Amino acid sequence: MAIYNPESLSAEEFINHDEILETLQYAKANKNNIELIDSILEKARPKHYADGRIMHCPGLTHREASVLLACDIPEKIEEIYKLANEIKLSFYGNRIVMFAPLYLSNYCVNGCVYCPYHLKNKSIARKKLTQREIRDEVIALQDMGHKRLAIEAGEDPVHNPIEYILESIKTIYSVHHKNGDIRRVNVNIAATTVENYRKLKEAGIGTYILFQETYNKASYLELHPTGPKHDYDYHTEAMDRAMEGGIDDVGLGVLFGLEGYQYEFAGLLMHAEHLEAVHGVGPHTISVPRIKRADDIDPDSFENSLSDELFAKITACIRIAVPYTGMIISTRESEAVREKLLTLGISQISGASRTSVGGYTEDERPHDSEQFDVSDQRTLDEVVRWLMELEHIPSFCTACYREGRTGDRFMSLCKSGQILNCCHPNALMTLAEYLVDYATPETKRLGFDLIERELEKIPKEKIRRIAAENIERIKSSDKRDFRF
């Protein structure tokens, strides 16, 4: 029998089934234990120096966080929501990082029962972008104003080998259109070897993202009946190989709705604890997708689907448990759900996403090669304006990645409370770029009013002055890419 050990490199030891079951029993037994719940909330609350800077925010263990998730006392749930918002604002401020997915190919050899790309699906149109088509897609994305992409591809060693992925990354970075550049390419591809992760690192990727789908091994094997993804251990241990290959920013996520949410929640936090224990730095991001309708996939056939209320509670508890991690919500979710979750810890969202291969160059949204239905179908300009109306700062910043502030270096910046002197001005300068180059007149007016107010929040006078000067240069010239 495997023994729970977060420092182990064996999947069944750092994601230990018996430990999760014991955690869920403990959480259920203490879900109304107000004294314990209050002590957990107090532990998680950010501690501040006299001048307001953050002194410490320890986060929670998977067991402590599971107690908060199990709690069904209305006033305590409200406290959880308020604390999640406090933590998010303490470390990330009101910035929301913008990105878009770019689907390169939907050829796949796996048999995943929740994904329309599965090998046996004969109704979906199979497509793979050429390098010329990738260039056209990138130009379309740049014309919207995007600076950060997450590339996606099915697992197929013939159609989508690592050489194709590497060539595609090179193509994306090479496209300079008008004032547009893609400055950061995150990669969401199947688990691979240390050697291939090293190649991705050398290609200049940002974050390597891999969703676990489910941490329950028995369920995982049933949901992935065929193909290389069937190997639970190889998939679950991928982040360790990625870090061994030099990638120090990795992104976790589960597909909520495949398995009981309590199990997934505990497993996700145990994975974060494992990365911290072994590599000294937790996940750069955690994504919270839910299963959605797609070509031959009916989400109603999965009995573990989540209500919007429960989904919000999960998001808040993740934010409290892992305070320094970026949290991502995609356009799988509706405008209303995304607006709610922005107050509970989300720090990154996609905008104007298309989940079909080659979708950005089409005038009408194509559906024949989509991975899932997109609920929020607004334009990027509409999403940017909506965020600003809610007093969030849409950020197109990629400075930390290009300045080498990744892994533990980014986390130390975040933990020291220096975000306001670094990421905040960078966000304002990249927003100014967007407003000048791409925004509609109303969005531009709202944006520069917001920038004027937000500049005053930068603590250091020198940085505030330089940021303001750079924004004026952006307005009056084609000079771009100022950064701290």
Side-chain angles (χ1 to χ4, degrees), residues 292-322:
K292 290 288 180 178
R293 192 172 301 280
D295 182 78
D296 68 339
I297 306 299
D298 179 3
D300 294 335
S301 64
F302 295 88
E303 61 186 27
N304 293 297
S305 58
L306 304 178
S307 68
D308 290 348
E309 293 76 14
L310 187 53
F311 189 47
K313 189 179 178 187
I314 290 169
T315 301
C317 289
I318 292 173
R319 167 50 67 214
I320 294 170
V322 198

Side-chain angles (χ1 to χ4, degrees), residues 124-142:
I124 196 169
R126 300 290 177 176
K127 296 182 180 181
K128 173 187 174 180
L129 297 181
T130 65
Q131 297 305 309
R132 174 70 254 183
E133 289 170 330
I134 291 172
R135 182 179 176 83
D136 292 343
E137 289 281 288
V138 169
I139 288 172
L141 285 157
Q142 288 175 348

Side-chain angles (χ1 to χ4, degrees), residues 279-290:
H279 304 284
V281 60
H284 187 70
T285 59
I286 291 178
S287 299
V288 286
R290 284 191 288 182

Side-chain angles (χ1 to χ4, degrees), residues 71-90:
C71 173
D72 54 13
I73 304 169
E75 56 268 32
K76 294 302 170 187
I77 294 174
E78 280 304 307
E79 285 187 45
I80 289 169
Y81 286 177
K82 288 179 182 178
L83 179 56
N85 189 47
E86 179 187 348
I87 289 172
K88 192 271 174 180
L89 292 175
S90 293

Side-chain angles (χ1 to χ4, degrees), residues 86-153:
E86 179 187 348
I87 289 172
K88 192 271 174 180
L89 292 175
S90 293
F91 293 102
Y92 287 95
N94 57 339
R95 298 176 308 110
I96 302 294
V97 172
M98 308 299 302
F99 75 97
L102 174 58
Y103 283 76
L104 302 178
S105 170
N106 62 7
Y107 283 95
C108 193
V109 299
N110 288 311
C112 314
V113 303
Y114 52 84
C115 177
Y117 290 1
H118 66 85
L119 183 62
K120 291 183 179 180
N121 185 359
K122 303 305 179 185
S123 65
I124 196 169
R126 300 290 177 176
K127 296 182 180 181
K128 173 187 174 180
L129 297 181
T130 65
Q131 297 305 309
R132 174 70 254 183
E133 289 170 330
I134 291 172
R135 182 179 176 83
D136 292 343
E137 289 281 288
V138 169
I139 288 172
L141 285 157
Q142 288 175 348
D143 279 339
M144 292 182 203
H146 277 296
K147 305 294 184 190
R148 177 190 302 238
L149 302 182
I151 61 172
E152 320 260 353

Side-chain angles (χ1 to χ4, degrees), residues 83 101 171 239 259 268 273 277 280 316 337 355 367 369 381 441 444 484:
L83 179 56
T171 296
M239 293 310 187
E259 174 56 65
L268 182 63
E273 291 167 359
V337 169
T355 68
H367 297 288
S369 64
D381 189 84
K444 187 177 294 187
F484 290 97

